[in-house]
Amino acid sequence: MNKNVILVFIGSLAMAIILSCNPSIQAVSPPGDTIHLNQLGYLPDGYKSAVVIGSSESFNILDVQSQAIVHAGNLSEPQYWDASGETVRLAEFSAFTTPGSYRLQVGTSSSHEFDIDRNVYTEVSTASVKAFYFHRAGVEIDEKYAGAYARAAGHPDTEVGIHASAASASRPEGTMISSPKGWYDAGDYGKYIVNSAITVTTMMSVFEHYPEVAGMLTTNVPESGDETPDLLDEIRWNLDWMLTMQDPEDGGVYHKLTAKSFPGMIMPEMDTDSRWVVMKTTAATLDFAASMAQASRVYKPYDPIFSEKCLRASIKAWEWARKNVDVYYVQPEDISTGAYGQSDKPLNDEKFWAATELSITTGEKYEAPVPTPLIVPEWRDGAALAAMDLLNHQSDEALKQAFMVLADSLLKEQMNSAYDVSNDAFRWGSSSDFLNQAMVLIYAYKISGEKAYKDAAQSTFDWVLGKNPNGVSFVTGFGDKTPMHIHHRPSEADEIKEPLPGWVSGGPNPENKEDCGADAYLSPYPAKAFIDELCSYATNEVAINWNGVFVYVSVALDAEG
Ligand code: 9MR
Ligand code: 9MR
């Protein structure tokens, strides 16, 4: 018998003794089982699992309308999960494929209502793209497209200062440049090239890998109805800004555009602090080169002139980075906004990423070795994403093998995981780690045809929509229990109770607990280090890169059925 089972047993015994000795105490029903599942639901032919904590050994699926039991099954053997300190069992019901609305029942407990439906992720995919529209800088967000979330334009960024760290002969300190448009990065109003690049690449990649679904998303934005798919219209808003971040003189790219410090919890138009572009870096320049090379081919059918412009910018950036191989970001003393620095990490993945995208687009050879082992994509590392893009255009056995090594490590983790997920390490933005892993897994399915990868991708994706120890669907506005107090300036400053919809909250992060004071985090377990509080920027902020990969995975799962 394991420790937890003994504890439950002793607990029940104690309860029985108390009840029998004291008849005045009402008999209470035993604490029910806890059920965590994807609160939106599952695809009819997809993998379906829920996590159950408790003493029951079997489960039923109940049709919400008829109240009939439509499926029954046994729970798996209990398994302990270090990350949450729980002993859990899995309810797997992939065999049940009938569309409808259901609840999972275990003992006396009942789950959130969920659907089995071919289009179960369409609405959330669309909302996760629409979220970017709400983040457009420099433009009024119109009621016609935003309803209650309409707001005035903020941050025109037509008069941005060259910070001392970014000064050059042709643009000395204090020179004013125009750098409008772009998306706000996160809960703050900064615009950061490194994070923008990984975001636009992830979103352009889902368009390239699954055009039949990604190209059909309709988001009701001002450009809707033009010749270009809405997803690409949205990405274009940020690409236009990114192009202005390149010094036309030498091709180097400024790392970020922000005020000197974070503003208060105010609406965009109230934040009128002067803004600056801060130092050129190799990471920003190579990431920019990668994104622009990809944009050049993706936008070619819709806007050949823009496509040419992107390619020229990409090549110019690549040339700068060849002469400036390791200019790392160093936060200037007078600046305290996000750093997106990576002084401890070599820049070989950025170089490989840029070289790969340039090679695909131009058909010429841009040399850079594959950084092995490949790691799961994140804002610090685009190599695996570049590998996916290359494999999408041509066969390359060695690269495919390197990619499958990564996918296999994730698959192995998921198959042995008590929580049925490929991740058990938690840090800032953990939701996006689950999503980036799911992206690698679903792409492994695409190139191998092995169903196990698709199942693992689904199961890991389920985490983000509720199959986690917090029982929280981390996408605002989607699911029964979803964050209401994200660390997000517009959501806090507007008068609306609900946060902006379609945004992925960062998720559990055992580090940086000082944001709300260590006492605010009640559980010592990493997977439970999440609080739905405004102060919790380390667990409950949102960010464009986290949304970008949500778009990828929800679209890809839908496309793969
Ligand atoms: O609001 C800021 C958020 O966007 C950042 O991710 C976070 C970490 O850099 O910082 C937040 O700003 C806080 C600052 O770091 C410390 N003082 C309180 C600020 C607002 O909570
Ligand atoms: O996502 C970033 C995370 O990986 C870092 O650990 C963290 C602290 O440096 O910063 C996160 O990015 C934040 C950025 O610096 C400023 N805008 C908000 C971003 C999300 O919290």
Side-chain angles (χ1 to χ4, degrees), residues 186-188 262-263 265 336-338 428 487 489 515 534-535 537-538 541:
D188 65 320
F262 289 117
M265 289 286 156
S336 61
T337 49
W428 199 309
H487 185 87
R489 286 171 172 75
D515 58 0
L534 175 68
C535 54
Y537 53 78
E541 191 166 353

Side-chain angles (χ1 to χ4, degrees), residues 185-186 188 192 338-340 379-380 428 541 543 546:
D185 183 57
D188 65 320
Y192 306 79
Y340 286 116
W379 61 260
R380 299 172 197 78
W428 199 309
E541 191 166 353
W546 309 338

